[in-house]
């Protein structure tokens, strides 16, 4: 299977791809999320793995926009417990590191650790694992990376300080996305939708009441501005259900209460292990 990821071998996306699909995959590396949908549309990839939110840093709003604009289908999700490690060349220690490069989300998730080391400058980069690779290839002394233990192993770096994330229970949720138009699956127990509520007072509360009435457990709701209409918002919602019939009946009732309703995907609820 051709699986596109953000980042390179050793990245957290790489870890998720192998945990979800197994190691026998054809990995397609991307240094930005924005280039990934075209790989699906051009049939260069069969699926893509995309981070969507983190338990510390919150939602990755641009990725919601990418899913929406490119009409991607959510066919699965995976929760990965994130272990951030500070790494560098062999022989380096924390005092010899002057600059640390990593993805902005990784830096945000580790900011408290570096308060004790004011001599270290934090610099944003495109990917966690690509920094690790660059340090090894160019033998960069005084430079550190924040990345996974797989990145340290893959690129032969020393882990200077393990587990430097601010919260030890730090999870990132990833979507598994396809270009398929088939969004319905009666074997599913979770769904993601996008809807635009009407302007009348209490319209959002009315939708949430309908979901609750049909025993749908709302697990996430995220607002996004409708670009074409100032001060108007669309809502992305995820919910878990025990009965597909309850879910089906709820959506039939909701669609009469909202201006627009779109199913983004139906899939199996991922577990935080």
């Amino acid at each position: 299977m051709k699986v596109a990821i953000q980042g390179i071998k050793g990245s957290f996306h790489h870890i998720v791809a192998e945990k979800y699909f197994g190691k026998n995959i054809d990995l397609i590396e991307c240094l930005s999320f924005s280039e990934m949908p075209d790989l699906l549309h051009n049939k260069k990839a069969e699926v893509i793995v995309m981070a969507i939110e983190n338990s510390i840093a919150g939602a990755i709003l641009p990725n919601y926009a990418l899913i929406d604009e490119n009409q991607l289908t959510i066919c699965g999700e995976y929760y990965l417990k994130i272990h951030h490690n500070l790494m560098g060349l062999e022989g380096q220690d924390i005092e010899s590191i002057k600059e640390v490069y990593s993805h902005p989300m990784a830096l945000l998730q580790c900011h408290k650790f570096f308060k004790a080391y004011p001599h270290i400058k934090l610099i944003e980069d495109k990917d966690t694992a690509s920094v690790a690779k660059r340090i090894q290839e160019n033998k960069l002394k005084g430079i550190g990376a924040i990345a996974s233990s797989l990145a340290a192993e893959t690129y032969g770096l020393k882990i200077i300080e393990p587990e430097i994330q601010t919260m030890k229970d730090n999870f990132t949720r990833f979507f598994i996305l396809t270009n398929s138009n088939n969004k319905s699956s009666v074997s599913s127990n979770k769904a993601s939708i996008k809807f635009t509520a009407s302007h009348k007072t209490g319209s959002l509360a009315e939708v949430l009441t309908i979901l609750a009435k049909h025993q749908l457990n709302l697990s996430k709701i995220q607002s996004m501005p409708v670009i074409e209409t100032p001060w108007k918002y669309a809502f992305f919602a995820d919910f878990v259900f025990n009965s597909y019939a309850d879910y089906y009946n709820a959506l039939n009732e909701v669609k009469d209460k909202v201006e627009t309703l779109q199913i983004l995907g139906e899939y199996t609820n991922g577990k935080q292990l």
Side-chain angles (χ1 to χ4, degrees):
M1 175 172 282
K2 295 180 180 180
V3 182
I5 62 167
Q6 188 275 321
I8 64 173
K9 290 180 180 178
S11 67
F12 293 107
H13 281 78
H14 177 204
I15 295 172
V16 171
E18 289 197 342
K19 285 184 176 293
Y20 197 89
F21 295 106
K23 294 184 181 295
N24 189 26
I25 56 175
D26 184 2
L27 201 67
I28 303 171
E29 301 171 345
C30 306
L31 285 183
S32 72
F33 288 115
S34 59
E35 65 187 274
M36 298 172 76
D38 284 342
L39 294 173
L40 282 179
H41 297 324
N42 297 330
K43 298 185 178 180
K44 293 181 179 179
E46 295 172 73
V47 295
I48 61 180
V49 176
M50 180 182 287
I52 196 66
E53 63 176 318
N54 175 263
S55 57
I56 297 174
I60 306 174
L61 296 183
N63 287 359
Y64 277 98
L66 281 175
I67 293 168
D68 185 33
E69 292 166 5
N70 292 278
Q71 298 182 322
L72 303 181
T73 298
I74 304 164
C75 63
E77 67 175 358
Y78 193 91
Y79 288 88
L80 180 69
K81 191 169 186 178
I82 302 297
H83 303 276
H84 284 307
N85 306 281
L86 176 62
M87 59 192 68
L89 292 174
E90 286 292 339
Q92 301 279 280
D93 59 24
I94 192 72
E95 297 304 325
S96 62
I97 298 297
K98 305 303 179 187
E99 296 178 342
V100 170
Y101 292 74
S102 197
H103 190 277
M105 292 289 281
L107 295 175
L108 182 62
Q109 292 163 27
C110 301
H111 72 282
K112 283 191 176 180
F113 172 83
F114 290 101
K115 286 184 177 180
Y117 304 98
H119 71 283
I120 296 178
K121 182 179 180 181
L122 303 180
I123 303 171
E124 294 184 358
D125 210 289
K126 290 184 177 180
D127 176 56
T128 55
S130 63
V131 177
K133 182 180 181 182
R134 189 164 70 242
I135 290 172
Q136 184 57 260
E137 287 181 341
N138 298 304
K139 306 301 178 187
L140 300 176
K141 293 184 177 181
I143 305 298
I146 300 171
S148 69
S149 57
L150 178 60
E153 178 185 339
T154 301
Y155 302 111
L157 295 184
K158 169 191 173 184
I159 294 181
I160 299 169
E161 292 285 347
E163 302 283 346
I164 66 170
Q165 64 272 11
T166 300
M167 300 291 292
K168 299 311 174 187
D169 282 335
N170 175 19
F171 286 86
T172 295
R173 180 186 179 210
F174 295 79
F175 276 153
I176 313 300
L177 300 160
T178 71
N179 199 26
S180 169
N181 291 322
N182 182 17
K183 298 179 174 65
S184 298
S185 172
V186 292
S187 62
S188 303
N189 64 353
K190 190 170 184 177
S192 295
I193 65 172
K194 174 194 173 185
F195 65 91
T196 307
S198 67
H199 277 297
K200 72 176 184 177
T201 302
S203 59
L204 175 59
E206 193 172 26
V207 170
L208 300 182
T209 299
I210 292 170
L211 298 181
K213 182 181 73 173
H214 290 279
Q215 308 300 311
L216 272 58
N217 179 25
L218 185 72
S219 58
K220 169 77 175 180
I221 187 164
Q222 179 69 54
S223 64
M224 289 279 288
V226 178
I227 304 301
E228 304 83 10
T229 310
W231 311 117
K232 189 175 183 63
Y233 291 87
F235 295 90
F236 293 82
D238 305 324
F239 42 82
V240 181
F241 49 87
N242 293 319
S243 164
Y244 194 88
D246 286 342
Y247 158 67
Y248 180 84
N249 292 333
L251 286 198
N252 271 340
E253 194 170 338
V254 165
K255 71 180 181 182
D256 294 328
K257 304 293 184 180
V258 297
E259 293 182 1
T260 64
L261 175 63
Q262 178 184 356
I263 298 173
L264 301 176
E266 299 170 4
Y267 48 96
T268 302
N269 184 24
K271 303 296 183 183
Q272 296 187 33
L273 302 177

